[in-house]
């Protein structure tokens, strides 16, 4: 498997320039670019053409834009802004060679029925996927493993994706979020592996279902998530992307030296990847 770094993992001390440098130094294959902060900060002193040239002349490549936030059950004027942001990401993606936009569902909705959530999600994602398709871009929905999220399990997200049934619409499977609301391995085993566009690698402390927060994430292999089961299921259903992206939001790691975050992140991720590969090959 190839390895990507999500910029959130070293967010507070870093920048897109530094992240790109450290991805090269530690031989990461890809980077997930944060569009909320890291990309706008980069563009204060650089251009999109500068970024495109970097990717053309270096090993590390862009995996996805992270993240287009809160697309469903929005006011019309707010949803219109979401479409504008998506259009911008698609235009930039075409210039720098990034073909995937990750989007997340709305959180902290007031009392809204499940049918209203599903209806809005189907309508919005259908329109958003069509917009992205005009740019040959993919849209990848990341369910959020918390009670406050409107789409919070793999089964719920996949059911929506399956109903819409568009080639360029798929799912981001974050291991932390999969664990967070006890998504079912059985649901993953019934899915089409080609619909899993992005996989986020991480682990977590052993808190109960529904209360986990991003700050509870830990290095892969240092927590309680049964990563082997998730990846065994992915292989079983024909997942062929074969790229994982390290995504952590732990304040303790934010205080570390940037170089250490990238070095340790690579070591911890590769240890998990190698163990999974050896199990799949029957070596252990």
């Amino acid at each position: 498997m190839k390895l990507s770094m999500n910029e959130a993992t070293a967010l507070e001390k870093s920048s897109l320039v530094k992240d790109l440098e450290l991805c090269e130094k530690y031989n990461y294959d890809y980077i997930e670019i944060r569009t909320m902060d890291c990309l706008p900060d980069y563009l204060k002193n650089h251009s999109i053409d500068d970024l495109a040239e970097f990717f053309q002349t270096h090993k590390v490549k862009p995996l996805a834009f992270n993240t287009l936030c809160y697309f469903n059950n929005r006011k019309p004027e707010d949803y219109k802004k979401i479409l504008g942001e998506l259009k911008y990401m698609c235009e930039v993606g075409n210039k720098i060679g990034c073909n995937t936009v990750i989007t997340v569902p709305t959180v902290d909705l007031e009392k809204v029925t499940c049918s209203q959530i599903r209806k809005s999600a189907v309508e919005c994602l259908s329109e958003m996927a069509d917009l992205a398709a005009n740019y040959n871009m993919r849209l990848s929905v990341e369910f959020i493993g918390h009670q406050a999220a409107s789409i919070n399990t793999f089964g719920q997200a996949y059911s929506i994706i399956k109903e819409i049934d568009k080639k360029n619409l798929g799912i981001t499977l974050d291991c932390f979020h999969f664990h967070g609301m006890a998504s079912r391995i059985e649901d993953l085993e019934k899915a089409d592996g080609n619909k899993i566009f992005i996989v986020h690698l991480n682990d977590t402390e052993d808190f109960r279902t529904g209360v986990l927060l991003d700050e509870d994430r830990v290095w892969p292999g240092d927590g309680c998530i049964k990563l082997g089961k998730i990846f065994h299921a992915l292989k079983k259903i024909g997942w062929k992307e074969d790229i994982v992206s390290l995504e952590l939001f732990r304040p303790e790691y934010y205080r570390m030296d940037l170089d250490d975050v990238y070095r340790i992140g690579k070591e911890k991720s590769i240890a998990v990847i190698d163990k999974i590969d050896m199990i799949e090959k029957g070596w252990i």
Side-chain angles (χ1 to χ4, degrees), residues 38-255:
C38 294
L39 181 60
D41 286 347
Y42 174 88
L43 293 176
K44 291 176 183 177
N45 298 300
H46 301 81
S47 69
I48 294 300
D49 288 339
D50 293 333
L51 190 56
E53 183 180 2
F54 180 91
F55 288 126
Q56 290 169 3
T57 56
H58 292 76
K59 177 193 172 182
V60 64
K61 304 301 179 190
L63 179 67
F65 290 125
N66 191 323
T67 311
L68 182 63
C69 289
Y70 310 151
F71 61 84
N72 59 299
N73 300 92
R74 303 293 302 275
K75 294 178 180 178
E77 59 270 25
D78 293 330
Y79 176 62
K80 185 176 180 180
K81 291 178 182 177
I82 292 294
L83 293 178
E85 290 177 34
L86 176 58
K87 182 175 182 291
Y88 173 73
M89 291 182 196
C90 289
E91 290 170 347
V92 174
N94 282 179
K95 291 179 180 178
I96 69 171
C98 180
N99 72 344
T100 304
V101 173
I102 297 174
T103 188
V104 297
T106 305
V107 300
D108 292 325
L109 285 173
E110 295 184 5
K111 202 167 183 180
V112 177
T113 66
C114 294
S115 59
Q116 288 172 325
I117 290 170
R118 185 181 183 93
K119 181 176 184 293
S120 176
V122 168
E123 290 175 352
C124 293
L125 289 173
S126 295
E127 182 175 9
M128 292 162 65
D130 286 344
L131 190 160
N134 291 332
Y135 296 87
N136 294 316
M137 294 282 289
R138 305 189 306 178
L139 192 65
S140 190
V141 181
E142 181 173 4
F143 60 96
I144 305 298
H146 192 278
Q147 296 180 52
S150 55
I151 301 174
N152 57 24
T153 66
F154 176 85
Q156 182 188 8
Y158 187 77
S159 176
I160 291 168
I161 295 302
K162 187 175 180 181
E163 178 179 339
I164 297 169
D165 192 27
K166 291 185 183 292
K167 186 176 181 181
N168 70 324
L169 182 63
I171 284 182
T172 294
L173 193 163
D174 183 299
C175 294
F176 170 84
H177 290 313
F178 191 92
H179 173 84
M181 283 293 288
S183 288
R184 293 159 33 96
I185 286 289
E186 294 85 354
D187 290 334
L188 178 56
E189 289 175 335
K190 295 174 184 176
D192 177 357
N194 293 316
K195 285 296 184 182
I196 312 299
F197 288 173
I198 302 289
V199 174
H200 286 160
L201 179 64
N202 38 50
D203 218 323
T204 186
E205 295 184 76
D206 190 17
F207 291 108
R208 60 189 173 84
T209 298
V211 302
L212 284 163
L213 301 174
D214 279 330
E215 65 193 33
D216 301 319
R217 299 179 185 224
V218 296
W219 300 117
D222 285 4
C224 66
I225 300 178
K226 295 178 180 178
L227 296 170
K229 283 191 173 182
I230 294 173
F231 281 93
H232 177 71
L234 284 168
K235 296 286 187 178
K236 185 177 178 181
I237 64 174
W239 173 65
K240 296 182 177 66
E241 296 287 332
D242 218 31
I243 305 166
V244 295
S245 189
L246 179 66
E247 185 189 57
L248 306 171
F249 293 86
R250 193 169 181 86
E252 175 187 341
Y253 301 164
Y254 289 159
R255 294 190 290 270

Side-chain angles (χ1 to χ4, degrees), residues 1 175 201 226-232 235 239 244 269-284:
M1 276 185 272
C175 294
L201 179 64
K226 295 178 180 178
L227 296 170
K229 283 191 173 182
I230 294 173
F231 281 93
H232 177 71
K235 296 286 187 178
W239 173 65
V244 295
S269 298
I270 293 301
V272 168
I273 289 169
D274 285 348
K275 184 175 181 180
I276 290 169
D277 285 344
M278 286 190 286
I279 291 172
E280 289 296 319
K281 292 175 181 177
W283 295 350
I284 58 174

